[in-house]
Amino acid sequence: MSPRSAQVNEELRRRSRERLLQAAIELVSERGYQATTLGDIADRAGSARGLVSYYFPGKRQLVQSAVHRLMHRTLEEGVEREPRTDDGRERMARGIDAILGLALHQTVLMRQHMAGLLQAEGFVQCPEQRRLAELLRELVARRGSGDVDFDYPMLRAQLMGSVYAMVLPNVPMPVAPLRAELFRRYGLDWDMGVPPDTEAPGGTLEQDLSRFFTPDESPGGEPTAGQSK
């Protein structure tokens, strides 16, 4: 049997990493962060337990990478949905709705994620986090920002604050006033975007998240995690 080519080996590594990311999302959603072990994630992914440390320094880094993957693919899918548009205001509205929708429909997962960001290591620098940052920067740029370096972290902070408010145990804020405030700040009309809740017509919800963890290219043609740019 001839040895596998470098390209085949890279594809196998990429698929293995994708399975670990998907398994992390599934298990943390089901059990919570503390009750999920790296061994559990490896078993769910069908991977050797020692392989997890090959890709990720630890559980916190793996889970953050997985949630950032979910966030950037959800954001990408929401912004690029049909009918496609180049209108910066509409794209901003879709992006806001995509992130608010994650907080609304994946509350346990996003609560665990927000708690993890407050740990000493903060943001994990990984391909998934960098892609999320690129997409948010693109939103403010297409919206007509004159200073993307300022407006991007401001949008990020406002979205993080809204997510935090929605997932706060016992006293969560409803999505409608948060959406209204964000739309007001960015001069967006209420009927733009795809409202993530049932209070506004037109909201959509897709429960199957496995499509975000395939080794294929993303809807925007960007390589998935593990591919070089």
Side-chain angles (χ1 to χ4, degrees):
M1 180 181 296
S2 59
R4 292 194 296 256
S5 67
Q7 183 177 6
V8 170
N9 285 331
E10 173 63 20
E11 176 66 13
L12 291 174
R13 286 192 292 268
R14 186 159 62 91
R15 289 177 180 272
S16 179
R17 189 175 186 275
E18 292 288 314
R19 288 194 297 269
L20 290 170
L21 291 171
Q22 182 176 348
I25 286 290
E26 292 173 352
L27 287 170
V28 173
S29 297
E30 294 169 8
R31 306 177 185 179
Y33 178 81
Q34 295 298 334
T36 299
T37 68
L38 286 176
D40 294 333
I41 294 172
D43 290 345
R44 175 69 66 92
S47 300
R49 297 192 179 194
L51 193 60
V52 180
S53 60
Y54 175 80
Y55 296 106
F56 304 97
K59 184 172 74 168
R60 181 69 64 189
Q61 290 81 359
L62 168 54
V63 173
Q64 275 205 37
S65 293
V67 177
H68 282 138
R69 159 59 65 85
L70 178 60
M71 292 178 71
H72 89 64
R73 291 298 298 272
T74 299
L75 179 61
E76 195 167 47
E77 183 180 83
V79 170
E80 300 297 342
R81 70 180 181 87
E82 296 295 338
R84 298 284 295 274
T85 179
D86 291 324
D87 181 80
R89 294 174 68 239
E90 172 63 24
R91 293 175 71 86
M92 176 70 80
R94 293 181 183 186
I96 290 171
D97 283 341
I99 299 302
L100 294 182
L102 269 181
L104 184 66
H105 300 301
Q106 302 293 331
T107 301
V108 171
L109 182 66
M110 296 306 292
R111 181 181 296 144
Q112 301 291 331
H113 178 62
M114 297 301 292
L117 296 180
L118 298 177
Q119 302 299 312
E121 60 266 33
F123 274 114
V124 172
Q125 298 298 315
C126 61
E128 290 75 23
Q129 189 275 328
R130 289 193 292 272
R131 180 59 182 151
L132 177 60
E134 290 170 2
L135 291 169
L136 291 174
R137 289 180 67 90
E138 182 183 349
L139 284 183
V140 298
R142 291 204 183 194
R143 175 66 183 82
S145 169
D147 187 352
V148 174
D149 289 336
F150 174 81
D151 290 334
Y152 151 65
M154 184 60 67
L155 173 63
R156 182 185 64 193
Q158 290 169 348
L159 288 173
M160 288 177 65
S162 296
V163 169
Y164 179 83
M166 290 178 66
V167 303
L168 193 63
N170 302 322
V171 287
M173 281 192 67
V175 66
L178 291 167
R179 183 180 192 262
E181 177 61 19
L182 287 168
F183 273 39
R184 183 193 66 78
R185 286 176 178 268
Y186 289 100
L188 309 175
D189 299 330
W190 180 261
D191 58 357
M192 289 180 165
V194 182
D197 64 332
T198 56
E199 299 173 28
T204 60
L205 171 62
E206 173 58 64
Q207 293 285 4
D208 182 10
L209 304 178
S210 63
R211 67 194 187 284
F212 293 147
F213 298 91
T214 65
D216 300 323
E217 286 192 341
S218 65
E222 290 292 328
T224 53
Q227 290 179 291
S228 60
K229 292 188 178 182

